[in-house]
Amino acid sequence: MNKEIANFDYYNPTRIVFGKDRIKELSTLVPTDKKVLVLYGGGSVERFGTLAKVREALSGHTFGEFGGIEANPTYETLIKAVKLVKEEGFDYLLAVGGGSVIDGTKFIAAAALFDEEPIHIFGSGIGKGIPLTKALPFGTVLTLPATGSEMNSGGVVSIVAKKAKLGFGSAVTFPQFSILEPELTYTLPKRQLANGVIDSFVHIMEQYMTYPVGAMVQDRFAEGLLETLIEIGPDVVDESNHDYNLRANFMWTATYALNGTLNKGVPGDWASHSLGHEITALYHIDHARTLAIVLPSLLEIRKEQKYGKLLQYAERVWHITEGTDDEKVQTAIDKTRAFFESLGAPTHFSDYELGEEVVDALVSQLESHGLTAISERGDQTPEVSREIYKNAL
């Protein structure tokens, strides 16, 4: 395996508009000559007044609305929005919501200009995986920190008919801008706050918990972000705690966790996400909670392959200084599991009244989607994934 920092290009064109009372700046951020489609999820943005602020800011624009994008955005719903865009001539999109709405908006932006059937945006045995070359311009108003989608070019969509949850992305699907108002998180319930902390934590781990290549800058960035989440996580999930700086640090950490900075020149894993997506597709468990199930067990089963980074993680992130190296590594894994549990996220299938029957079903899903040689080393076979699922029972 490569033990040096690999060559890389770094490109991120998204403008971040961060802080208090920034939604009103939509009036200048969105071009006035565009016909805008505002996209959102359930009723929370309406109920808590966020959508009213957006409408006021866009009062000088021509705009329409499309609601109902799910917590795991479905291809079937998004295609309806694509049809609306084409029929009504919308040429600018605005996502108002969390990562699911933003991911869905990215898909709509790309699918609206895609020359073939949009299903072929995806690969993994579902479509042809045709590279994206164009997309409608769009911006975002972030309401739930978690996915980092507000400052990256990737997205994930669930295809209900295929029982699949698949990613896509391209340089053409970066948001032009993203508004990050930490005070918008004050309306979030504990479950969503916990999901945001866990999702951000595992995003960082996917880019960090691999093998050492001497990437001091990337490692220290990742470790600092992990330490921040460990420090603030218990307070963030207290839905009554409206400390502005607390929520501001949470929001920026979640964005930075997946904005393309941490993965430059280093190996990436993403096996936890691959295994977690299949759990969501079959059993409809929150994405972040599937990660809480998978990651601790993956670290247990893949301990040998990740040993160098696990030891570094133990010493630098959890500040474990006593015991043998093996003891430090195991303690770090135990602390990771305990951290997720402390936030209210169970880490075993049994906590969701699921048993051994899930293992074969989930492994079969991985195989059908071509996920048979995953991880940073490409050596996580279906049998290894089976062991991880079994460990999580």
Side-chain angles (χ1 to χ4, degrees), residues 102-175:
I102 298 172
D103 281 10
T105 299
K106 290 176 182 178
F107 174 80
I108 295 162
L113 301 183
F114 198 62
D115 293 328
E116 297 199 34
E117 285 296 315
I119 196 69
H120 295 304
I121 289 173
F122 306 101
S124 299
I126 300 298
K128 298 177 182 176
I130 297 172
L132 297 172
T133 59
K134 53 191 174 182
L136 291 175
F138 67 97
T140 90
V141 176
L142 179 68
T143 61
L144 171 59
T147 71
S149 192
E150 66 276 4
M151 199 181 175
N152 66 41
S153 61
V156 178
V157 169
S158 295
I159 305 169
V160 176
K162 301 289 187 179
K163 294 184 177 179
K165 186 175 180 182
L166 301 175
F168 69 97
S170 164
V172 302
T173 48
F174 278 102

Side-chain angles (χ1 to χ4, degrees), residues 206-207 209-210 267-272 298 306 374-376 380:
E206 297 276 35
Q207 301 163 90
M209 186 51 64
T210 56
D269 188 351
W270 299 104
S272 291
L298 184 147
K306 296 179 179 290
I374 54 179
S375 88
E376 67 274 17
Q380 187 171 317

Side-chain angles (χ1 to χ4, degrees), residues 228-389:
T228 299
L229 290 172
I230 291 166
E231 179 179 342
I232 69 175
D235 292 323
V236 165
V237 301
D238 177 359
E239 56 202 290
S240 66
N241 188 340
H242 292 174
D243 180 278
Y244 178 80
N245 274 351
L246 175 71
R247 295 297 180 86
N249 278 293
F250 169 43
M251 183 169 265
W252 190 226
T253 301
T255 298
Y256 215 92
L258 201 57
N259 69 356
T261 302
L262 303 182
N263 68 352
K264 293 298 171 280
V266 301
D269 188 351
W270 299 104
S272 291
H273 275 68
S274 294
L275 271 62
H277 285 165
E278 303 300 352
I279 301 172
T280 297
L282 288 188
Y283 304 108
H284 311 295
I285 298 172
D286 300 5
H287 170 62
R289 287 164 189 263
T290 70
L291 300 178
I293 292 170
V294 170
L295 180 65
S297 288
L298 184 147
L299 296 180
E300 290 272 9
I301 299 301
R302 303 282 290 168
K303 188 186 301 184
E304 181 180 343
Q305 291 82 2
K306 296 179 179 290
Y307 196 88
K309 270 299 185 67
L310 274 168
L311 183 59
Q312 184 175 314
Y313 170 67
E315 294 174 343
R316 292 187 181 181
V317 175
W318 290 107
H319 306 287
I320 301 165
T321 58
E322 297 181 355
T324 66
D325 287 353
D326 286 353
E327 289 169 340
K328 290 178 183 178
V329 164
Q330 187 58 53
T331 301
I333 295 171
D334 293 343
K335 283 182 173 290
T336 304
R337 185 183 295 279
F339 177 60
F340 295 160
E341 296 273 0
S342 75
L343 300 177
T347 59
H348 294 92
F349 285 110
S350 58
D351 298 310
Y352 296 91
E353 299 183 350
L354 296 171
E356 292 185 11
E357 72 281 356
V358 306
V359 177
D360 285 344
L362 291 168
V363 173
S364 177
Q365 285 285 102
L366 289 170
E367 291 174 334
S368 69
H369 296 144
L371 299 170
T372 57
I374 54 179
S375 88
E376 67 274 17
R377 300 173 186 271
D379 61 350
Q380 187 171 317
T381 64
E383 284 310 307
V384 176
S385 296
R386 180 183 299 276
E387 290 305 308
I388 293 167
Y389 283 136

